[in-house]
Amino acid sequence: MKDIHIGMIGYKFMGKAHSNAYRSLPMFFPKAAKPHMSVICGRDSKQVEQAAEQFGWAEHVTDWQDLIARPDIDLIDINAPSNMHKEIALAAVQAGKHLFCEKPLALSLADSREMLEAANQAGIVHMIGFNYRFSPAVRLAKKLIDSGRLGEIRHFRAWFLQDWLLDPHFPLVWRLQKEIAGSGSHGDLGAHLIDLAHYLVGDMEEVIGMSETFIKKRPLATEMTGLSAKGNQDGPQGDVTVDDATLFMSRFVNGALGSFEATRFAAGHRSTNSFEINGSLGSVKFDFERMNELEVYFTSDEADTQGFRRVLATDDVHDYMDAWWPPGHTIGFEHTFIHEMLELVNAITEERQASPNFEDGVKCQAVLEAVERSIEERRWINIADM
């Protein structure tokens, strides 16, 4: 067993999720290396001090460069806005620190590739934050596909629907500014769908897409916290420079067809993250709002009992569940991050690469940018050309 001392940069939505994961990990996975919540970093000294006290970090600082230079830190956790990922990651790599970075990996494919190359050359463990892979029901879907029980995969369709931007007076938060976020629903929500497709079905060969920004201007934000913000609707406004909704189709290398939809304008959908996979021998359906369940259908069932069955993925036979509660006692959103951090600390102590890692981040970024090029050029784009 080994202790891992963590320096975390960022302290809002994802900072809270990561902090909870680090705190919970030793209780439920006692054989894993213990993460020490050593230092949390943020630009606002008062807010980062409050976060340190609330989340349980030993120290708080405002200079991420000083944090990275500290010899007592083993791992740097980056959940700052997307435009900061590359600079922080490259500095951490140069200092020999292991890395966890929230998605998207960077603002561009070129930057993502530079981060991957630097991390590989340094020989560090690197991981990207695609937490939905770590839902036991998603892992069950992966098991059914890899074992051949669904046969040849023909279709992957996925949608991530939210509605928090419906109000045209909602302020211009950083997620709506391309120079900070990189893209809108496409990179924020669609990236998760793309990674799930890569994880479950395989690489994509080509894509074609379309997008729309429904509200072109919004009031400037005076306060921002996670996905909430305050602003004066009668005050100055700024341009929304990212997509509000993006749809695209894909063809996978293995011949399967894919469809993807990401939007923040789906009224009534707080956070509907779903996929359906159809194979020659069966199908699975998943909705993260019912994250403990996987709907499963097999063509081999008798004709009089064919249909989708609900599988509650809470028994010990399902990934991670032997650490939690008795069968039928469900887990939630926060548990995906605990499982994610378990993979991270295990990879460090076992001296192997984590999964998913920066290579997966680069693959995702290649698809994101291929879709953007497709939208601009109004044609199919081959991923190999990116």
Side-chain angles (χ1 to χ4, degrees):
M1 183 183 293
K2 174 185 177 183
D3 290 350
I4 299 172
H5 296 267
I6 304 166
M8 188 172 78
I9 303 169
Y11 57 89
K12 294 191 177 178
F13 178 21
M14 284 297 103
K16 181 183 287 188
H18 294 190
S19 298
N20 177 71
Y22 292 133
R23 291 182 65 174
S24 301
L25 190 59
M27 178 182 294
F28 293 97
F29 297 91
K31 294 182 180 180
K34 183 178 181 181
H36 284 267
M37 299 166 63
S38 300
V39 188
I40 186 172
C41 178
R43 290 173 291 187
D44 188 303
S45 59
K46 183 177 180 180
Q47 290 189 28
V48 76
E49 180 180 6
Q50 292 174 345
E53 181 177 356
Q54 179 182 348
F55 300 164
W57 291 85
E59 300 178 48
H60 58 89
V61 298
T62 56
D63 190 326
W64 62 264
Q65 292 172 318
D66 288 346
L67 169 58
I68 287 174
R70 289 177 54 153
D72 59 334
I73 298 297
D74 305 309
L75 166 70
I76 295 296
D77 179 321
I78 307 170
N79 56 85
S82 305
N83 64 326
M84 294 296 297
H85 290 184
K86 176 187 173 183
E87 183 180 7
I88 297 172
L90 292 180
V93 166
Q94 190 171 8
K97 310 297 186 185
H98 300 301
L99 271 174
F100 182 94
C101 185
E102 268 300 335
K103 62 82 206 165
L105 191 55
L107 296 186
S108 71
L109 178 57
D111 286 350
S112 296
R113 285 172 170 159
E114 184 178 349
M115 293 165 66
L116 172 62
E117 182 179 3
N120 283 341
Q121 287 182 352
I124 63 162
V125 173
H126 47 85
M127 189 171 186
I128 186 169
F130 288 125
N131 62 296
Y132 295 106
R133 284 192 184 202
F134 294 92
S135 303
V138 172
R139 312 286 280 203
L140 175 58
K142 172 74 168 171
K143 179 181 177 181
L144 294 176
I145 293 168
D146 289 352
S147 67
R149 293 174 70 183
L150 297 187
E152 181 181 346
I153 302 304
R154 305 277 171 73
H155 293 283
F156 178 89
R157 63 185 64 86
W159 53 100
F160 204 149
L161 316 176
Q162 295 181 344
D163 66 357
W164 59 281
L165 288 180
L166 278 176
D167 182 357
H169 301 302
F170 188 91
L172 186 72
V173 294
W174 69 264
R175 294 176 187 272
L176 303 180
Q177 298 173 288
K178 188 174 181 62
E179 67 272 17
I180 300 176
S183 66
S185 64
H186 184 45
D188 187 24
L189 307 180
H192 281 299
L193 303 180
I194 292 167
D195 181 69
L196 285 172
H198 284 154
Y199 175 61
L200 294 169
V201 180
D203 292 349
M204 297 182 214
E205 181 178 340
E206 58 180 351
V207 296
I208 190 169
M210 62 180 178
S211 67
E212 185 57 65
T213 301
F214 300 112
I215 307 296
K216 304 295 195 293
K217 290 183 177 290
R218 290 183 178 272
L220 299 182
T222 56
E223 292 183 33
M224 287 184 266
T225 305
L227 300 184
S228 62
K230 294 181 181 179
N232 182 0
Q233 68 180 64
D234 297 320
Q237 295 195 332
D239 294 328
V240 176
T241 52
V242 300
D243 62 285
D244 285 330
T246 295
L247 292 84
F248 73 93
M249 296 184 296
S250 73
R251 186 181 300 277
F252 289 84
V253 173
N254 63 12
L257 304 181
S259 64
F260 301 76
E261 179 180 5
T263 181
R264 295 161 171 166
F265 275 74
H269 291 274
R270 295 297 186 259
S271 193
T272 303
N273 178 7
S274 303
F275 63 77
E276 178 172 339
I277 300 172
N278 307 127
S280 58
L281 300 179
S283 298
V284 292
K285 294 193 291 187
F286 174 78
D287 181 354
F288 193 75
E289 291 181 355
R290 304 178 67 123
M291 65 163 286
N292 292 276
E293 302 174 10
L294 185 71
E295 292 189 68
V296 181
Y297 170 79
F298 294 116
T299 60
S300 58
D301 289 342
E302 295 295 331
D304 60 348
T305 56
Q306 280 194 354
F308 279 95
R309 68 189 72 175
R310 182 184 72 112
V311 177
L312 192 61
T314 60
D315 284 48
D316 289 356
V317 70
H318 299 115
D319 285 2
Y320 308 114
M321 292 310 300
D322 58 343
W324 296 106
W325 319 118
H329 293 68
T330 58
I331 60 174
F333 175 64
E334 68 274 18
H335 295 78
T336 64
F337 293 95
I338 299 170
H339 301 159
E340 188 174 53
M341 297 313 173
L342 174 66
E343 165 64 14
L344 176 61
V345 299
N346 282 346
I348 292 173
T349 55
E350 295 166 9
E351 299 183 345
R352 60 172 174 83
Q353 198 48 264
S355 179
N357 55 55
F358 284 13
E359 183 174 350
D360 298 285
V362 168
K363 286 172 54 177
C364 180
Q365 194 68 40
V367 175
L368 289 171
E369 290 197 14
V371 172
E372 290 176 342
R373 181 184 293 183
S374 167
I375 293 168
E376 181 180 349
E377 300 180 7
R378 302 177 71 86
R379 66 181 181 90
W380 284 91
I381 298 294
N382 196 298
I383 305 299
D385 295 334
M386 298 302 297

